[in-house]
Amino acid sequence: MSNDEVIHLEDVWVRYDEQVVLEEVNLSVEAHDFLGIIGPNGGGKTTLLKVILGLVKPSRGKVTVLGGSPEESRRFVGYVPQYTRFDREFPVSVWDVALMGRLGQRGRFRKYTAEDKRIAAEALERVEMLDLKGRQIGKLSGGQIQRVLIARALATEPTILLLDEPTASLDTQIEVDLYELLRRLNEEVTIILVSHDIGVISAYVKKIACLNRRLIYHASKEITPDMLEEAYRCPVDLIAHGVPHRVLATHQ
């Protein structure tokens, strides 16, 4: 593992019972990378994030995060899971959710300190949600909820930020705003983002990988038809190119 490398996966396999979910995955992520991972449903994208978090243990292979095991380094990794439905009447505020990011730093059953509250407030301010800290989270829009979940992850003071489909079900303008926020955060943290939106993701990330059990990754931003055909296992035509959708190389 080099000095600039923060995540290293070598020949990683994951099986659920007898089903292979990840197969021979090799990945190197350097500090301040912004890596987008695309691929079909059921291709193992969420499982890969959970391997990096140490929530899923590979059946074979080696995983190193920030120079140690995923379990040892988990407190330095912020995680924004897929948005799921929840009881919008549940009486929890934006402030309560942001403070949850400090639980891993304080331990269970310990009171939040003034430092915890300062860090949570800064996290909400960075995602422009501090003014709504007293609002019940169930009363927010989808885009606002995603910002609060990112704030919760930032409250861990992460070195690495993992996001699983953070823009699912959001309209286009809110999606763009969220990607702009992530671009600013990338100046300080390494980001890995899972998404289905090939066009938009290619305009913001620095590198792209395709995953469908096997990972196709060339430490590059360009997506080739061969990469997509291998990942999606069907013929694919790419029609977008140049700025802002940098999917194909610019014409010479």
Side-chain angles (χ1 to χ4, degrees), residues 38-40 196 198 210 212 227-234 236:
I38 59 174
H196 284 94
I198 299 172
C210 299
N212 189 2
M227 287 173 64
L228 290 182
E229 287 184 17
E230 187 173 351
Y232 287 87
R233 298 176 185 175
C234 64
V236 175

Side-chain angles (χ1 to χ4, degrees), residues 8-223:
H8 182 82
L9 278 70
E10 184 177 338
D11 192 27
V12 167
W13 292 64
V14 172
R15 288 181 173 85
Y16 293 149
D17 296 324
E18 297 302 315
Q19 181 182 4
V20 176
V21 181
L22 295 179
E23 177 180 345
E24 200 177 345
V25 171
N26 295 285
L27 176 65
S28 174
V29 179
E30 296 186 346
H32 296 101
D33 271 350
F34 190 164
L35 172 64
I37 300 177
I38 59 174
N41 287 333
K45 300 186 298 298
T46 296
T47 297
L48 178 59
L49 296 186
K50 290 181 177 180
V51 166
I52 295 169
L53 282 164
L55 301 177
V56 170
K57 189 173 180 62
S59 52
R60 194 169 92 193
K62 179 181 179 182
V63 183
T64 306
V65 179
L66 298 171
S69 71
E71 294 81 4
E72 292 169 338
S73 302
R74 188 184 300 156
R75 65 191 181 96
F76 302 109
V77 181
Y79 178 47
V80 181
Q82 286 187 19
Y83 174 72
T84 56
R85 295 184 181 275
F86 64 96
D87 182 359
R88 286 183 171 263
E89 298 303 318
F90 189 77
V92 60
S93 69
V94 167
W95 180 242
D96 294 330
V97 173
L99 273 173
M100 289 176 188
R102 299 302 301 161
L103 289 174
Q105 314 300 321
R106 306 304 308 168
R108 294 180 181 179
F109 312 118
R110 296 181 63 179
K111 291 183 178 180
Y112 293 119
T113 65
E115 178 73 356
D116 291 328
K117 295 175 182 178
R118 180 190 65 77
I119 292 169
E122 287 183 356
L124 285 172
E125 187 171 24
R126 291 173 74 183
V127 301
E128 300 176 348
M129 291 297 295
L130 185 58
D131 290 346
L132 297 179
K133 70 176 185 177
R135 185 78 61 86
Q136 184 178 332
I137 193 165
K139 306 302 183 185
L140 302 181
S141 68
Q144 288 173 326
I145 290 172
Q146 287 299 80
R147 285 176 176 266
V148 174
L149 295 178
I150 292 172
R152 181 181 65 179
L154 292 177
T156 67
E157 297 185 296
T159 301
I160 300 167
L161 185 60
L162 308 179
L163 302 103
D164 194 351
E165 297 284 0
T167 60
S169 303
L170 301 183
D171 66 44
T172 302
Q173 185 55 54
I174 295 174
E175 184 177 7
V176 169
D177 291 344
L178 199 56
Y179 275 117
E180 290 290 351
L181 168 63
L182 294 176
R183 176 183 279 173
R184 295 193 297 273
L185 293 176
N186 183 227
E187 296 175 5
E188 302 174 33
V189 299
T190 303
I191 298 177
I192 299 180
L193 181 148
V194 163
S195 177
H196 284 94
D197 195 333
I198 299 172
V200 174
I201 197 174
S202 65
Y204 289 93
V205 302
K206 295 176 181 176
K207 299 174 183 176
I208 295 178
C210 299
L211 179 64
N212 189 2
R213 283 186 24 177
R214 288 177 173 267
L215 187 74
I216 303 98
Y217 179 56
H218 305 298
S220 167
K221 186 170 185 172
E222 184 179 357
I223 306 174

Side-chain angles (χ1 to χ4, degrees), residues 202 221-226 228 237-243 245-251:
S202 65
K221 186 170 185 172
E222 184 179 357
I223 306 174
T224 67
D226 289 344
L228 290 182
D237 289 327
L238 291 176
I239 58 174
H241 59 85
V243 178
H245 302 295
R246 300 169 201 161
V247 179
L248 296 179
T250 305
H251 293 305

